[in-house]
Amino acid sequence: MSQETTVQRLAFWSIIIGCTVLALKYVAYHVTGSVALYSDALESIVNVVAALAAWWAIRVSHIPADRNHPYGHHKAEYFSAVLEGALIIVAALLILREVWFAWQTPKTLDQPWLGLAINGGASAINAIWATVLINRGRIAKSPALLADGKHLMTDVVTSVGVFAGLVGAVLTGWTILDPLLAVIVAVNILFQGWNVIGNSVQGLMDMGVATEETIQIRDVISSNAGGALEVHDLKTRVAGRVTFIEFHLVVDAKMSVGDAHVICDRIENALMEQIPEASVVIHVEPEDEAKLPIGTAAVPFA
């Protein structure tokens, strides 16, 4: 099975699992009347909508480059992640609205242990699926899967906190703990929503690769640029799962075009082995364009 097919299937199953978890959490809220469990269920609605958006964005991102989009459709996944972040914030505001009403008239929970058991089962499903999405999202460099997985993991942490707090509320009889927990849930997901939006905007702004990957790229280029004189003006940017790499390669002015092309092919192939979804552009220049003294043993970077 190709990585493209795997990512799309994971996105589709996120919708099914999201609907299942939403149903379980709503039942938990229904049998208890807890505003904290209501807030947990409301966030699951966001999970379902976000899963639908991620599934659509991933399908769009795999459409081949065309006349109107010569660099491909990879950034579509960032739009999905931005939407998810916005929905998280909306859910937090709706939770705070419910908290206000619950604060005015706190009430004793109905069938708390049954509701907590159901909610705990839903959270366990979310924890397993979030781990799968985060791992596969990192491997496939899929912003949509990664954002979805991190959001689900936040949901799990929130649910654990709600579970512990409601157990305390039941044992102590402090009904005020229920709306107080919902406030904590709302603030937590507001923070997570802001992080999701911020990371996605960075991707839309053509952010470069991380320092560790930049060092790896430089090492691969330098070790495979035998016959060249210098490399400078290295630029990278990330668009979804694709890493765009551009740089200038300085060669002897008397070198033939064919020989320079052989060096470029060797570098490009080496980069594609290390970064399979890389798109490499190399600008060849004569030696008078070099920025460093000629004569070092290894091909230097300016």
Side-chain angles (χ1 to χ4, degrees):
M1 187 185 301
S2 68
Q3 186 163 275
E4 174 184 345
T5 303
T6 300
V7 169
Q8 291 189 19
R9 287 190 177 182
L10 287 170
F12 175 78
W13 275 103
S14 282
I15 301 171
I16 305 300
I17 292 173
C19 289
T20 302
V21 170
L22 170 59
L24 289 172
K25 289 192 174 184
Y26 180 79
V27 170
Y29 154 67
H30 183 70
V31 300
T32 62
S34 164
V35 69
L37 291 184
Y38 172 80
S39 68
D40 214 7
L42 191 60
E43 189 178 4
S44 291
I45 296 176
V46 175
N47 293 345
V48 173
V49 176
L52 284 165
W55 176 72
W56 169 83
I58 288 170
R59 287 175 64 87
V60 172
S61 73
H62 283 90
I63 296 175
D66 54 33
R67 183 176 179 180
N68 293 325
H69 305 87
Y71 290 96
H73 302 75
H74 315 293
K75 287 188 177 182
E77 292 194 44
Y78 290 119
F79 290 103
S80 167
V82 169
L83 174 62
E84 182 165 352
L87 289 172
I88 292 171
I89 292 174
V90 170
L93 296 176
L94 291 175
I95 291 169
L96 291 174
R97 176 179 177 274
E98 292 300 318
V99 167
W100 172 254
F101 294 126
W103 207 286
Q104 307 301 312
T105 56
K107 63 177 184 177
T108 304
L109 303 183
D110 301 322
Q111 303 184 67
W113 300 116
L114 175 60
L116 286 172
I118 295 172
N119 194 265
S123 298
I125 294 172
N126 262 352
I128 295 170
W129 190 244
T131 302
V132 171
L133 290 181
I134 291 172
N135 289 338
R136 295 303 305 178
R138 284 174 176 162
I139 293 171
K141 293 187 176 180
S142 170
L145 282 187
L146 199 54
D148 205 14
K150 287 182 176 179
H151 176 206
L152 285 181
M153 192 58 76
T154 301
D155 191 15
V156 172
V157 174
T158 300
S159 297
V160 170
V162 168
F163 184 92
L166 286 180
V167 168
V170 173
L171 295 177
T172 62
W174 296 348
T175 55
I176 197 66
L177 282 177
D178 185 30
L180 182 60
L181 284 169
V183 171
I184 296 173
V185 171
V187 172
N188 180 51
I189 65 177
L190 271 173
F191 177 74
Q192 293 301 324
W194 180 257
N195 281 342
V196 169
I197 292 174
N199 291 336
S200 302
V201 169
Q202 287 295 325
L204 291 171
M205 293 294 290
D206 288 336
M207 182 176 64
V209 302
T211 303
E212 296 78 9
E213 193 168 357
T214 299
I215 293 172
Q216 178 190 18
I217 290 171
R218 289 169 66 98
D219 288 344
V220 170
I221 294 173
S222 184
S223 60
N224 289 277
L229 303 176
E230 179 187 289
V231 176
H232 59 244
D233 291 351
L234 172 66
K235 296 178 183 177
T236 63
R237 65 184 179 92
V238 179
R241 65 187 180 279
V242 178
T243 301
F244 291 87
I245 304 169
E246 301 178 15
F247 59 90
H248 293 192
L249 183 73
V250 179
V251 300
D252 191 317
K254 297 179 181 179
M255 180 178 288
S256 68
V257 172
D259 289 341
H261 182 67
V262 169
I263 299 174
C264 291
D265 276 350
R266 186 168 65 242
I267 296 172
E268 184 175 354
N269 291 336
L271 286 171
M272 300 260 322
E273 284 182 8
Q274 295 294 321
I275 310 171
E277 292 284 354
S279 176
V280 185
V281 175
I282 305 173
H283 178 71
V284 178
E285 296 181 333
E287 59 197 44
D288 57 357
E289 295 292 332
K291 295 184 178 182
L292 293 174
I294 303 300
T296 53
V299 178
F301 270 85

